Each structure stands twice: as structure tokens, then as C-alpha cells.
Amino acid sequence: MMVKVSVIICTYNREAYLPECLEHLKQQTASPSDFDIVLVNNNSSDSTEEICKDFQNQNPDLNVVYALESNPGLSYARNCGIATATGQVVCFIDDDGFAVPEYVETLINFSSDSNYNEYVAFGGKVIPRYNLGKDPKWLSSYLEGLVSKVDMGEEIMPFVKKYPVGCNMAFRSEFFVEHGGFNTDLHTRSDEKFVFDKLKKAELKTLYVPKMKVEHFIDDYRLEHPFIKKLSKIVGQSEALRLKDLGLGKRLLKLIEYKFKLGASFILAVMFLIKGQLAKAKYIVLVRWYILLGFFIKKKIQ
């Protein structure tokens, strides 16, 4: 049976990119009757509401639903989107994410195919888009998470050790009915990890579908040292918060993991230095150090 998909766009003060995000959804090859678009305004102070309502009014052939979530935080907005959605499958694309035309059709086909009934979640490629048109000098395969890059090749396969990133992930709606939504106390990847951990504990599977491709715009400031430092600390702090109620053993294991990765980063840095890649050597150590520091920071990082 063909499933219906709900595309959830959670947005906050991204008037510069939201119109292009919506334009890509307008160009989907899937029949408009097979999907709807749920726009969740997370209480933006810019022209987000006007952009959403104009898109809704100017595209009567599309099933567009607008919702306002006044509680600040992406997890609140995602949960609002889940509650509003009507599709048997819900997918999340960031407001600065640009889906390829066959994105929704591909998701519909795979989630409807009986050969993939065992898969409850889906994710695909995420290709960063930069103003300069190329990766920053410091980016290596070990730090691709900082720019939300996902590229596991052209083969369809299960996610095993890794999992999809928030700007391109989909779930069968029944999963949230049975296991609950996103944890509103968490943010910055830990909220996503929380959900995929629940999925893993329930012994449910996630499928990598390369044709579910999204380009993700990365602002210039996100490539600079101050933001990378802040983001890395937030990652560490968020993980500490995620593990808070899981016992001392889990937190100690994570601490050991972070220390091991910091040690390994020095070895990798030497390898980069030998190749003359100074920026990659520098940032692979700095990021692991800031993540470790963030693990111990109690006060919310601003």
C-alpha cells in the first residue's frame, strides 16, 4: 500500500533561506495528493509567518499546513510537527535544507515497499553548500558532523554505527506513537541521538537511501573558530545531559570514550601535519578538546 508522507519544516528566523527550501518542495516529482508539508514556526521574530502563509496561499494545489510553536527549541517544534502531521511517514528537513526533486517520491517508494517493512527510519545524503563553494580547509572526514555532512556512497544499506542527521531524517509515524517524541531538554544532535537510541533499544532498523538527498546551506560564521568552539562545547554538554538519568556507569563510559578520542586526535593530527594539512591537524584536536570540556560545563552555553 502506498503511504502518505508528511514533510515537516521547523523554522526559526531563517527568512533568508526558507523561500528556497519551500521552492524545492514545490518542485517535488511526487503527486501532491501523496504528501503534505507541515510548516512549524518556532515563534520567529522575522517575516517567517508571512513567508509560510504566502506559500500556503500561492500553492493551493499543495497540502500545506501552518503551525505556531511558541515554546523555544527545535525539539518542541519537531514534536509540534509530529502532532500536526497526518502522514504514515514523517520526515524532517531543515529550513536551510534543499531537497532534490525526487526526494519525497523516493521516500514514498521505499517506505511503501514490502521489502523494507522492517525499516522504521530512513535517512539519506546531506551535502553541505557553502558561499565559497568548497569545503573549509579544516574539514576532514572526522569532523563532517560539524557541517551535517552524510555521504555513505550510492549503495542502499542499513545505518549501523551511524544514524541520519536532523536535516534529513524520516520515521514511520507509529514509532512516535509507541515510543514518544523528542526530548525537549536536549538539543544539538543529542535530541536526535536520544530518538535513535530509543529506536535501537527497541531493535528497530534505519535505512540509508542515497537518493533521499538534501543540500544543506552552511553560513560563513559556522565555519569560523568561535562558532566551532561553541558548538563543540554544546555537543559535550548535551551528551552529559542526555546521559544524566542513565546512571554513573554510562557517564563514565562516555568520559572514557571522549578521552580516548582526544588521544587519538593527536595521532591523527600528526598524520595531517606530515601531509602539510595544518588546519586539519589543528581543528581535529581542538574540537575533541572542546567537546571534552563541554561535558563538564553545567551552566547553559550561550
Side-chain angles (χ1 to χ4, degrees):
M1 183 181 71
M2 192 71 71
V3 304
K4 179 182 176 182
V5 166
S6 290
V7 181
I8 300 174
I9 307 293
C10 300
T11 183
Y12 175 70
N13 286 351
R14 300 290 278 173
E15 62 184 6
Y17 308 111
L18 182 59
E20 185 173 356
C21 169
L22 298 179
E23 184 63 27
H24 279 75
L25 295 181
K26 181 180 176 180
Q27 295 173 4
Q28 291 299 301
T29 57
S31 170
S33 62
D34 291 335
F35 74 102
D36 57 24
I37 301 169
V38 180
L39 305 178
V40 183
N41 178 2
N42 199 194
N43 213 19
S44 301
S45 58
D46 62 1
S47 62
T48 290
E49 181 175 8
E50 181 181 353
I51 292 170
C52 290
K53 292 189 174 181
D54 283 348
F55 181 77
Q56 186 179 38
N57 293 331
Q58 293 167 11
N59 296 280
D61 55 320
L62 296 177
N63 302 306
V64 183
V65 181
Y66 174 78
L68 177 66
E69 174 53 62
S70 57
N71 290 306
L74 181 54
S75 290
Y76 279 109
R78 284 172 170 166
N79 288 340
C80 174
I82 293 168
T84 306
T86 60
Q88 292 98 336
V89 171
V90 296
C91 73
F92 298 89
I93 299 176
D94 281 3
D95 51 9
D96 52 5
F98 314 128
V100 294
E102 63 272 19
Y103 180 94
V104 172
E105 184 177 7
T106 300
L107 178 55
I108 290 172
N109 290 339
F110 274 88
S111 56
S112 301
D113 192 331
S114 60
N115 293 316
Y116 299 102
N117 281 346
E118 61 183 317
Y119 292 96
V120 174
F122 304 86
K125 284 189 179 184
V126 178
I127 306 302
R129 183 198 289 187
Y130 311 101
N131 276 324
L132 295 178
K134 59 182 180 180
D135 289 335
K137 290 183 179 180
W138 55 261
L139 184 65
S140 65
S141 60
Y142 304 99
L143 300 182
E144 288 179 345
L146 293 177
V147 292
S148 302
K149 183 177 181 179
V150 177
D151 189 349
M152 295 163 53
E154 302 304 322
E155 183 180 348
I156 301 161
M157 66 181 75
F159 279 94
V160 182
K161 293 183 178 180
K162 297 183 178 181
Y163 54 91
V165 295
C167 60
N168 184 6
M169 59 183 182
F171 304 85
R172 298 190 190 274
S173 301
E174 61 194 36
F175 170 77
F176 294 113
V177 174
E178 296 175 6
H179 300 277
F182 290 85
N183 187 331
T184 54
D185 292 329
L186 302 177
H187 55 92
T188 315
R189 294 288 279 160
S190 284
D191 52 349
E192 297 152 23
K193 190 169 185 178
F194 173 81
V195 168
F196 283 106
D197 275 351
K198 287 197 294 185
L199 191 144
K200 185 176 180 180
K201 288 175 184 176
E203 298 183 343
L204 302 172
K205 296 182 179 181
T206 304
L207 186 67
Y208 170 72
V209 184
K211 286 187 177 181
M212 281 176 56
K213 180 180 173 182
V214 170
E215 285 192 349
H216 186 214
F217 187 81
I218 306 297
D219 292 285
D220 290 342
Y221 76 88
R222 293 183 59 180
L223 305 176
E224 297 172 356
H225 182 86
F227 181 82
I228 295 170
K229 177 181 178 180
K230 175 183 175 181
L231 178 60
S232 300
K233 287 183 176 180
I234 289 175
V235 167
Q237 184 183 64
S238 297
E239 276 296 271
L241 184 59
R242 183 180 68 85
L243 298 171
K244 181 180 65 173
D245 299 324
L246 298 182
L248 180 60
K250 291 283 188 180
R251 296 197 297 275
L252 286 175
L253 284 175
K254 179 58 67 172
L255 179 58
I256 292 170
E257 175 191 328
Y258 279 170
K259 288 185 174 180
F260 173 81
K261 287 183 176 179
L262 177 60
S265 72
F266 284 98
I267 298 173
L268 293 169
V270 171
M271 295 172 60
F272 284 128
L273 285 173
I274 291 173
K275 297 177 183 178
Q277 298 173 324
L278 178 61
K280 290 183 179 181
K282 174 183 176 181
Y283 275 91
I284 197 166
V285 173
L286 284 179
V287 168
R288 295 312 320 179
W289 171 244
Y290 290 138
I291 289 176
L292 180 60
L293 285 181
F295 193 75
F296 295 100
I297 297 175
K298 302 297 183 182
K299 185 178 179 180
K300 184 176 179 180
I301 299 170
Q302 302 293 335

